[in-house]
């Protein structure tokens, strides 16, 4: 046992309410680390999928077909106006009943989409609804004359969107996108409700087994989420500075 582990073990003996058990017990440290890795994986997957869906949805909002525009608008209204926790439970418990399963050993039936998969789908769809509106606002900030100039050069609608409109709209959208992605990372804690073994789930499991570890583990949760959100904000702010065009947008 190292000096640090010995220190925290003595601290727990002298002050039972401050039992940093995951700093001197290998098994509990493993549970916290696995939860942290799951939270990071969940956050990265949800951020990427929500941004991809947001870009696609913003493009479809300008489609010539009113049916396509109506479907996208319905999607936005559904996911923006219902609580993310309700969506998560609906996806996992309701839709999850209709997804196929497989049996690798001939006995146990395993659904194709796990609880982690449903958490990624549900939380990404929720955040994507806001991303679509954020990107749409950015697109509307691009002057019509810019699009008309691109079309006069013979560009198709997809080329105008990909090469001209979206790169300019993205610069306007980054500050609002930053806020939504920060909110998404914090919302990943709701995956706890369907037993996804992320950081909150593992932390609650630790202090249920060792009640004296509740205060230190709650403190750990605050520190970890401040760190994760801080890294995301620093990255987004750096990206915003690199994308900045003097005299345009942000």
């Amino acid at each position: 046992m190292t000096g640090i582990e010995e220190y925290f073990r003595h601290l727990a003996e002298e002050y039972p309410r401050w039992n940093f058990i995951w700093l001197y017990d290998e098994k509990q440290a493993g549970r916290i680390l696995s939860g942290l890795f799951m939270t990071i994986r969940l956050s990265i997957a949800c951020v990427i999928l929500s941004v991809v869906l947001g870009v696609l949805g913003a493009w479809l909002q300008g489609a010539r077909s009113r049916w396509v525009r109506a479907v996208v608008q319905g999607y936005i209204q559904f996911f923006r106006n219902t609580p993310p926790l309700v969506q998560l439970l609906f996806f996992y418990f309701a839709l999850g009943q209709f997804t196929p399963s497989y049996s690798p050993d001939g006995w146990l039936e395993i659904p194709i989409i796990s609880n982690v998969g449903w958490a990624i789908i549900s939380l990404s769809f929720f955040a994507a609804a806001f991303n679509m509106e954020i990107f749409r606002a950015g697109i509307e900030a691009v002057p019509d004359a810019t699009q008309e100039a691109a079309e006069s050069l013979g560009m198709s609608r997809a080329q105008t969107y990909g090469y001209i409109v979206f790169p300019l709209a993205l610069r306007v959208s980054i500050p609002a996108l930053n806020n939504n992605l920060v909110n998404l990372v914090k919302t990943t804690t709701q995956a706890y409700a369907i037993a996804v073994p992320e950081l909150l789930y593992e932390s609650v499991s630790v202090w249920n087994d060792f009640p004296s570890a509740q205060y230190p583990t709650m403190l750990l949760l605050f520190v970890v989420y401040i760190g994760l959100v801080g890294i995301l904000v620093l990255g987004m702010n750096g990206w915003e500075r690199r994308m900045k065009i003097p005299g345009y947008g942000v």
Side-chain angles (χ1 to χ4, degrees):
M1 181 176 293
T2 66
I4 294 177
E5 291 173 342
E6 190 65 26
Y7 170 78
F8 281 105
R9 182 182 291 278
H10 284 302
L11 182 68
E13 292 173 354
E14 294 181 14
Y15 304 98
R17 288 189 173 186
W18 293 100
N19 183 8
F20 292 82
I21 191 168
W22 26 269
L23 286 178
Y24 62 83
D25 185 296
E26 186 176 349
K27 182 179 178 182
Q28 308 313 317
R31 294 168 74 177
I32 293 294
L33 285 175
S34 69
L36 176 60
F37 289 140
M38 177 57 74
T39 291
I40 293 173
R41 287 171 52 197
L42 199 59
S43 299
I44 292 174
C46 290
V47 164
I48 293 174
L49 184 56
S50 71
V51 170
V52 171
L53 290 174
V55 173
L56 180 62
W59 182 57
L60 292 176
Q61 278 185 300
R64 292 187 175 89
S65 169
R66 63 188 178 93
W67 292 107
V68 173
R69 295 198 303 272
V71 169
V72 175
Q73 195 57 227
Y75 169 90
I76 292 172
Q77 296 303 325
F78 176 81
F79 284 96
R80 191 176 59 178
N81 298 334
T82 53
L85 180 58
V86 173
Q87 295 172 19
L88 188 65
L89 296 176
F90 174 77
F91 270 76
Y92 182 63
F93 290 109
L95 296 185
Q97 301 299 316
F98 300 102
T99 54
S101 60
Y102 67 100
S103 180
D105 57 3
W107 294 92
L108 183 64
E109 290 290 328
I110 299 176
I112 288 178
I113 304 177
S114 66
N115 56 345
V116 176
W118 281 119
I120 292 173
I121 293 171
S122 175
L123 297 175
S124 299
F125 279 21
F126 167 71
F130 291 89
N131 287 346
M132 288 177 191
E133 289 296 82
I134 290 169
F135 288 131
R136 182 182 63 81
I139 290 170
E140 290 181 353
V142 177
D144 292 339
T146 305
Q147 301 183 48
E148 291 168 359
E151 289 171 357
S152 69
L153 293 174
M155 287 187 174
S156 64
R157 181 172 176 270
Q159 288 174 323
T160 303
Y161 182 80
Y163 294 125
I164 306 295
V165 176
F166 185 71
L168 293 174
L170 182 61
R171 289 165 167 81
V172 180
S173 305
I174 289 177
L177 182 65
N178 189 353
N179 291 333
N180 194 42
L181 295 185
V182 165
N183 186 52
L184 174 59
V185 170
K186 293 184 291 186
T187 307
T188 58
T189 54
Q190 296 191 7
Y192 168 87
I194 58 172
V196 173
E198 43 77 56
L199 184 59
L200 178 62
Y201 181 90
E202 294 293 353
S203 297
V204 173
S205 299
V206 169
W207 77 56
N208 281 340
D209 292 343
F210 303 92
S212 60
Q214 183 176 11
Y215 294 156
T217 311
M218 290 176 71
L219 180 63
L220 174 72
L221 281 172
F222 281 116
V223 171
V224 167
Y225 276 99
I226 288 173
L228 290 178
V229 171
I231 292 171
L232 176 62
V233 170
L234 285 174
M236 291 293 290
N237 288 344
W239 187 34
E240 183 180 333
R241 285 194 297 273
R242 288 193 296 275
M243 296 284 286
K244 188 173 183 179
I245 297 176
Y248 183 84
V250 296

